[in-house]
């Protein structure tokens, strides 16, 4: 009796397929992980840049007006949107001299002024910016807050 | 078959993800660099600010470290400490970053001439200049764990600012006039009235003689080289008269009446000239008629007077004169009154009152010629009375007559009638010898005849001035002199004034401009409201901080009525259209100096509190409106320079002016250094 020859194998076994998929997944997993980290890092950078610009903004304004103006700020005069010593929302894009990206609404800001302790009359100005809790930028930004500082000296006139 | 495909796909994705990774890493590195640079630039700004503040502070006072550096125009860089920046830097930089910051200043350029090429400097030793200085800051940020390595970031920042060195007092040898324009020349004077002679004539001498008004210029306690000069513009008798027709004095002089208190200034003079009989008879022609009637009465043939004499007595007296016998004072008053009626203008002003106490109110000092010579310039003269009276003396007179008698002629001598020798009679009084007054009815009767005939007698005695007069030939101070030969064109040494181009000018000229170099002014066109913003004036704190030259557009009010004196902290000139001072001004220290310069109006003083400042009121439009108006007794410790004194606008009182000796430096300059906050050039660059 002659044996009927076995037909040649034309496919993969289930085990092979599973193994293959496993190998491919293992190969691609770090790639996708890295891809995700890259994206997060990129968004973090974008958020940090925005936060920096929002922190710099009052510093530029106060520096432009100078020490004498700043030393009585909040007592005799103030600018809307720039309160002293309280966390406040930042308005988004508005027509006006100060324009900001629309994402600015997702940040809070606090401005503080403190007299210098040395002989030289001056004010230490500190601006902190932090993302609104639960907002998109809160997820993006890795740091809790961004701080910008300067010193306003009383200049000879 | 599928394996190669997977491998290709994997490799493709690997390259893609890898590329993105590097991009993102670069992005993070860039962000780090950005953050680092932002930190550095912020530190740089703070450091440059602090450097400027330090330079500003240290150049404000002569004792400051930067003051001589600016004044001398040093070529050496100046190291600047930055303590506040150092502290800020330590706080600001996240660990492990650490920073090092160094600041220096250098003078970039300077200019010593105006835009028109006129030199700012009155002498080679002067340091007036405008220029540009540079603040440079070097900043290095390092990782503290990697010391010795190249810094993470190295920045150099520079800013250019303008500075001005302005002399507020320049040396003046009190023995010599100036020989070039110095923009602070006016401060040489304790009192300078620019249109002094003109005002004196126009006011008919009332500018220096006002009832109830006195201006005491008190500087007797100062050494000669530190005294302020006193000058009235136009008092140069050697030049042709500037008087308009009808104006007096015709000579370009001003005079001050010398009262009793200054009697020792009156040139002593006592002379007696016996009058001959023919002169007596000429002066009293009625005596011939009297003689004729006596001839008739006594039946004489003819008769003559014999020994009819008298005396011309000359002497001097103060004006006004208050001590002496009533009859003497009355006679002097009558003489002065008659003289006034024969004169006009400033010479004739009545009532005759004492002049201002320009040499102080201490009689011995005011009469000391050395003292007066050290403070006065130009023709400031004293005026006193030179009085000549004629008193007939008929006590020894007789009438010698002849009487016809039978057989001959009898000589007979008769006494004069009693009324001619009566001590209380008409011919025993003293007749003032004055030119006959122009005013109708001023004199009448016998006295009028006497005065009409007096010139003929005067002509016979050219060696003995027989007309009374107000003597104004002698300069103020001293007592020596020869009234028979009064000096011609007597005057103190004259000052010399120059315009900015170095041409010699008169005080009345348009070129008479203190602080005239526009480019030396730190600020111009500032509104009065900005004084506070510029920190020049803090009314709440009662402080004035002058620094350099500042020009205000408008009238400036300083102080509060009955308020505390304002404290002057700094040195400088504040110019404005006008000023109103409501409270006193007090220098905070000996180096402080304030000059108030009214360029289009007056300086109104509404306080009697001490004012330690220089008041200059000179109308730059030539309208002669520059004056000071003291609404309360002035107590000025400084100097007063004005177009006109206008004492009629002052409250009648005794006003005092004490010259500030810091305004008169025989050898040294007083400077103000001002730095401008305005940034002319700025650059921050990585190294």
């Amino acid at each position: 009796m002659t044996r009927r020859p076995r037909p040649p194998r034309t496919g993969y076994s289930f085990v092979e397929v599973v193994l293959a998929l496993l190998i491919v997944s293992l190969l691609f997993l770090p790639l996708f992980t890295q891809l995700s980290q890259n994206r997060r890092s990129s968004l973090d950078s974008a958020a940090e840049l925005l936060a920096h610009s929002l922190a710099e903004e009052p510093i530029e304004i106060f520096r432009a007006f100078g020490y004498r103006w700043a030393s009585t700020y909040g007592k005799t005069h103030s600018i809307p949107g720039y309160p002293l010593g309280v966390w406040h929302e930042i308005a988004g894009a508005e027509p006006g001299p100060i324009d900001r990206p629309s994402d600015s609404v997702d940040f809070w800001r606090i401005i503080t002024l403190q007299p210098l302790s040395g002989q030289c009359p001056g004010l230490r100005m500190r601006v902190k910016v932090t993302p609104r809790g639960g907002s998109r930028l809160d997820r993006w930004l890795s740091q809790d807050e961004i701080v910008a500082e300067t010193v306003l000296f009383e200049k000879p006139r | 078959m599928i394996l190669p495909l997977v491998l290709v796909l994997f490799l493709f994705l690997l390259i893609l993800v890898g590329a993105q990774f590097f991009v993102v890493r670069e992005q993070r590195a860039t962000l780090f660099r950005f953050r680092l640079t932002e930190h550095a630039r912020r530190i740089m700004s703070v450091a440059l600010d602090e450097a400027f503040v330090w330079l500003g502070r240290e150049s404000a006072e002569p004792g400051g470290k930067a003051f001589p550096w600016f004044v001398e125009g040093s070529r050496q860089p100046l190291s600047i400490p930055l303590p506040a920046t150092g502290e800020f830097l330590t706080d600001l930089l996240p660990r492990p970053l650490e920073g090092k910051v160094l600041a220096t200043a250098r003078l970039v350029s300077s200019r010593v001439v105006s835009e028109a090429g006129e030199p700012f400097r009155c002498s080679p030793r002067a340091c007036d200049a405008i220029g540009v200085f540079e603040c440079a800051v070097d900043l290095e940020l390092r990782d503290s764990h990697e010391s010795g390595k190249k810094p993470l970031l190295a920045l150099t920042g520079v800013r250019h600012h303008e500075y001005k060195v302005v002399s507020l007092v320049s040396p003046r040898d009190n023995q010599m006039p100036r020989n070039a324009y110095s923009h602070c020349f006016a401060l040489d004077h304790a009192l300078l009235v620019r249109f002094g002679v003109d005002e004196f004539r126009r006011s008919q001498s009332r500018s220096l003689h006002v009832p109830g008004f006195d201006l005491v210029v008190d500087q007797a306690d100062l050494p000669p080289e530190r005294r302020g000069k006193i000058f009235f513009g136009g008092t140069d008798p050697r030049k042709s008269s500037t008087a308009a027709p009808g104006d007096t004095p015709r000579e370009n002089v001003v005079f001050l009446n010398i009262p009793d208190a200054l009697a020792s200034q009156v040139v002593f003079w006592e002379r007696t000239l016996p009058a001959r009989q023919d002169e007596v008879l000429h002066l009293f022609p009625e005596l011939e008629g009297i003689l004729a009637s006596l001839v008739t009465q006594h039946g004489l043939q003819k008769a003559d007077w014999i020994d009819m004499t008298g005396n011309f007595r000359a002497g001097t007296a103060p004006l006004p004169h208050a001590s002496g016998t009533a009859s003497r004072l009355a006679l002097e008053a009558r003489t002065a009154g008659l003289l006034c009626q024969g004169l006009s203008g400033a010479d004739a002003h009545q009532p005759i009152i004492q002049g201002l106490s320009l040499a102080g109110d201490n009689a011995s000092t005011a009469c000391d010629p050395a003292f007066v010579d050290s403070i006065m310039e130009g023709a400031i003269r004293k005026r006193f009375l030179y009085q000549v009276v004629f008193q007939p003396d008929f006590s020894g007179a007789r009438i010698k007559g002849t009487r016809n008698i039978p057989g001959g002629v009898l000589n007979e001598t008769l006494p004069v009638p009693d009324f001619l020798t009566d001590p209380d009679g008409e011919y025993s009084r003293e007749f003032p010898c004055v030119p006959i007054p122009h005013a109708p009815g001023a004199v009448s009767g016998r006295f009028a005849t006497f005065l009409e005939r007096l010139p003929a007698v005067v002509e016979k005695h050219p060696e003995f001035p027989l007309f009374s007069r107000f003597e104004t030939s002698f300069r103020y101070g001293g007592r020596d002199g020869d009234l028979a030969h009064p000096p011609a064109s007597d005057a103190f040494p004259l000052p010399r004034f120059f315009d900015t181009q170095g041409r010699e000018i008169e005080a009345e000229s348009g070129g008479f401009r203190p602080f005239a170099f526009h480019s030396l002014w730190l600020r111009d066109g500032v509104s009065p409201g900005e004084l506070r913003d510029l920190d020049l004036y803090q009314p709440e704190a009662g402080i004035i901080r002058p620094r350099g030259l500042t020009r205000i557009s408008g009238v400036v009010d300083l102080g509060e009525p009955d308020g505390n004196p304002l404290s002057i902290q700094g040195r400088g000139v504040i110019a404005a259209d006008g000023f109103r001072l409501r409270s006193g001004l007090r220098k905070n220290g000996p180096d402080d100096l304030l000059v108030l310069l009214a360029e289009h109006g007056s300086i109104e003083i509404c306080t009697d509190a001490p004012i330690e400042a220089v008041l200059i009121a000179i109308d730059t439009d030539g309208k002669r409106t520059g004056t000071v108006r003291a609404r309360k007794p002035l107590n000025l410790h400084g100097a007063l320079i004005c177009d006109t004194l206008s004492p009629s606008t002052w409250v009648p009182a005794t006003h005092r002016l004490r010259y500030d000796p810091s305004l008169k430096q025989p050898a040294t300059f007083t400077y103000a250094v001002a730095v401008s906050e305005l940034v002319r050039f700025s650059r921050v660059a990585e190294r």
Side-chain angles (χ1 to χ4, degrees), chain A residues 12 24 27-28 31-32 34-35 38-39 41-42 44-45 48-49 52 56 59 63 68 116-117 120 124 142-143 147-151 153-157, chain B residues 6 9-10 13-14 17 20-21 24 27-28 31 34-35 38 42 45-46 49-50 52-53 56-57 84 87-88 91-92 159 523 533-535 547 675 677:
Chain A
Y12 298 100
V24 167
L27 280 173
F28 277 76
L31 291 184
F32 284 118
Q34 186 59 49
L35 205 62
N38 288 352
R39 179 177 169 277
S41 179
S42 183
D44 179 32
S45 297
E48 190 178 331
L49 272 175
H52 263 295
E56 288 286 345
I59 283 180
R63 282 184 65 83
R68 192 162 296 279
L116 284 186
S117 55
C120 193
R124 180 92 171 254
S142 59
Q143 300 175 63
V147 182
E149 287 188 72
T150 193
V151 177
F153 290 104
E154 183 177 16
K155 294 183 182 174
R157 287 163 181 264
Chain B
V6 168
L9 181 63
F10 176 74
L13 282 175
L14 186 66
V17 170
Q20 193 198 24
F21 171 75
V24 169
Q27 191 183 30
R28 296 299 298 178
L31 184 65
F34 165 77
R35 279 209 309 260
E38 279 301 301
R42 218 174 294 134
S45 296
V46 170
D49 282 354
E50 189 180 9
F52 175 75
V53 168
R57 190 176 63 235
E87 189 180 329
F88 174 68
D91 292 350
L92 184 71
R159 276 185 197 165
R523 296 182 192 87
D533 299 335
L534 294 171
D535 199 24
R547 186 158 183 188
V675 292
E677 188 187 1

Side-chain angles (χ1 to χ4, degrees), chain A:
Chain A
M1 168 177 157
T2 57
R3 281 189 182 175
R4 195 176 57 183
R6 291 179 75 173
R9 287 176 65 177
T10 57
Y12 298 100
S13 70
F14 177 74
V15 174
E16 285 174 328
V17 169
V18 168
L19 279 173
L21 283 175
L22 188 64
I23 291 165
V24 167
S25 297
L26 287 173
L27 280 173
F28 277 76
L29 185 64
L31 291 184
F32 284 118
T33 305
Q34 186 59 49
L35 205 62
S36 171
Q37 280 180 355
N38 288 352
R39 179 177 169 277
R40 181 173 294 170
S41 179
S42 183
L43 291 172
D44 179 32
S45 297
E48 190 178 331
L49 272 175
L50 179 57
H52 263 295
S53 71
L54 293 174
E56 288 286 345
E57 178 192 297
I59 283 180
E60 295 303 326
I61 292 170
F62 276 60
R63 282 184 65 83
F65 281 107
Y67 166 83
R68 192 162 296 279
W69 178 88
S71 62
T72 53
Y73 188 82
K75 297 169 192 153
T76 60
H77 54 270
S78 60
I79 303 175
Y82 300 88
L84 273 189
V86 291
W87 285 102
H88 59 276
E89 294 179 349
I90 301 171
E94 288 176 346
I98 305 290
D99 206 359
R100 310 183 185 99
S102 56
D103 284 340
S104 305
V105 295
D106 284 342
F107 283 103
W108 290 73
R109 185 166 62 192
I110 186 170
I111 304 167
T112 55
L113 291 170
Q114 193 178 3
L116 284 186
S117 55
Q119 287 183 336
C120 193
L123 289 171
R124 180 92 171 254
M125 182 178 183
R126 177 174 290 161
V127 182
K128 289 182 186 173
V129 171
T130 190
R132 184 198 300 269
S135 67
R136 190 170 45 147
L137 286 165
D138 188 29
R139 291 191 298 275
W140 291 359
L141 189 63
S142 59
Q143 300 175 63
D144 290 338
E145 61 186 20
I146 299 296
V147 182
E149 287 188 72
T150 193
V151 177
L152 305 171
F153 290 104
E154 183 177 16
K155 294 183 182 174
R157 287 163 181 264

Side-chain angles (χ1 to χ4, degrees), chain B residues 175-192:
Chain B
Q175 307 280 336
M176 302 278 290
R178 289 188 178 272
N179 55 18
Y181 177 79
S182 166
H183 67 172
C184 42
F185 71 93
L187 277 56
D188 295 346
H189 291 82
L191 175 66
L192 191 155

Side-chain angles (χ1 to χ4, degrees), chain B residues 348-395:
Chain B
H349 172 55
Q350 292 195 79
I352 294 173
I353 56 176
Q354 72 172 71
L356 305 186
S357 304
L358 299 184
D361 51 1
N362 182 314
S364 64
T365 314
C367 298
D368 175 8
F371 173 74
V372 176
D373 285 355
S374 72
I375 61 170
M376 293 199 175
E377 292 181 324
I380 302 175
R381 304 261 183 91
K382 56 190 172 190
R383 187 169 84 151
F384 54 89
L385 179 64
Y386 172 76
Q387 186 185 42
V388 182
V389 295
F390 177 74
Q391 188 170 33
D393 180 6
F394 300 159
S395 57

Side-chain angles (χ1 to χ4, degrees), chain B residues 16 27 37 43 67 120 184 194 286 316 326 335 373 473 614:
Chain B
L16 200 66
Q27 191 183 30
T37 309
I43 292 166
F67 189 90
F120 295 148
C184 42
R194 203 173 152 214
E286 72 276 10
T316 52
T335 305
D373 285 355
S473 303
V614 178

